[in-house]
């Protein structure tokens, strides 16, 4: 069974930092892109950051550029999202998700590789709250 398990969420003050982890099992991580998505109450799910399988590519939503960093460790089958300079508007449930990626090189080239509709395996989510 494919499993994605997120951890690292919590409550922080504005300007603080969190590191989210996503441990993946049941698939060959080398072949899959991993994305971090978030959804706040009453808002659409959005792609925060995604990392490619083998194209050395990443995507960041504009509002998190310069603050968040995505990375992966295929040996540990883990993807991380380092979140710095957190803002109240970052408050949301954060999900990691995976999609087979070896047939998606053009999406990375076009900047279209981090749409939640395309991702097929999902974790349960972890809550991030940034106090105002």
């Amino acid at each position: 069974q494919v499993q994605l398990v997120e951890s690292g969420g919590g409550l922080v003050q504005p300007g603080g930092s969190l590191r989210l982890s996503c441990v993946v099992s049941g698939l060959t991580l080398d072949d899959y892109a991993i994305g971090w998505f978030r959804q706040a109450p009453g808002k659409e799910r959005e792609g925060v950051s995604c990392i490619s399988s083998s194209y050395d590519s990443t995507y960041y939503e504009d509002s998190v550029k310069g603050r968040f960093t995505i990375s992966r460790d295929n040996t540990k089958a883990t993807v991380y999202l380092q979140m710095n300079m957190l803002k109240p508007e970052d408050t949301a449930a954060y999900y990691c998700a995976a999609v087979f990626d070896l047939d998606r090189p053009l999406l990375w080239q076009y900047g279209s590789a981090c749409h939640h509709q395309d991702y097929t395996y999902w974790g349960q989510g972890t809550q991030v709250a940034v106090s105002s």
Side-chain angles (χ1 to χ4, degrees), residues 10-18 83-88 90-91 128-132:
L11 174 64
V12 298
Q13 294 183 340
S17 297
L18 287 172
M83 305 187 296
N84 298 325
M85 297 180 288
L86 283 162
K87 304 175 180 179
D90 295 318
T91 297
V128 172
V130 185
S131 64
S132 60

Side-chain angles (χ1 to χ4, degrees), residues 2-129:
V2 175
Q3 296 183 72
L4 290 80
V5 180
E6 304 98 330
S7 63
L11 174 64
V12 298
Q13 294 183 340
S17 297
L18 287 172
R19 189 179 75 162
L20 305 184
S21 299
C22 176
V23 179
V24 182
S25 61
L27 55 77
T28 302
L29 192 58
D30 291 351
D31 298 339
Y32 285 77
I34 304 296
W36 286 99
F37 302 85
R38 67 186 180 189
Q39 188 165 21
K43 293 183 170 58
E44 294 290 326
R45 187 168 299 187
E46 65 176 351
V48 178
S49 184
C50 294
I51 187 165
S52 65
S53 59
S54 59
Y55 310 126
D56 194 27
S57 297
T58 56
Y59 165 88
Y60 295 95
E61 197 273 328
D62 286 344
S63 69
V64 309
K65 287 182 179 177
R67 300 189 297 123
F68 292 9
T69 303
I70 192 169
S71 61
R72 67 192 294 157
D73 185 338
N74 287 348
T75 301
K76 296 181 178 179
T78 301
V79 177
Y80 305 95
L81 184 67
Q82 179 67 46
M83 305 187 296
N84 298 325
M85 297 180 288
L86 283 162
K87 304 175 180 179
E89 51 263 44
D90 295 318
T91 297
Y94 283 71
Y95 302 87
C96 64
V99 62
F100 184 77
D101 195 45
L102 298 185
D103 57 349
R104 301 182 343 127
L106 292 179
L107 295 183
W108 293 99
Q109 187 176 118
Y110 298 155
S112 303
C114 205
H115 299 313
H116 69 88
Q117 298 94 332
D118 297 333
Y119 284 69
T120 55
Y121 300 104
W122 289 81
Q124 296 299 307
T126 185
Q127 185 68 42
V128 172

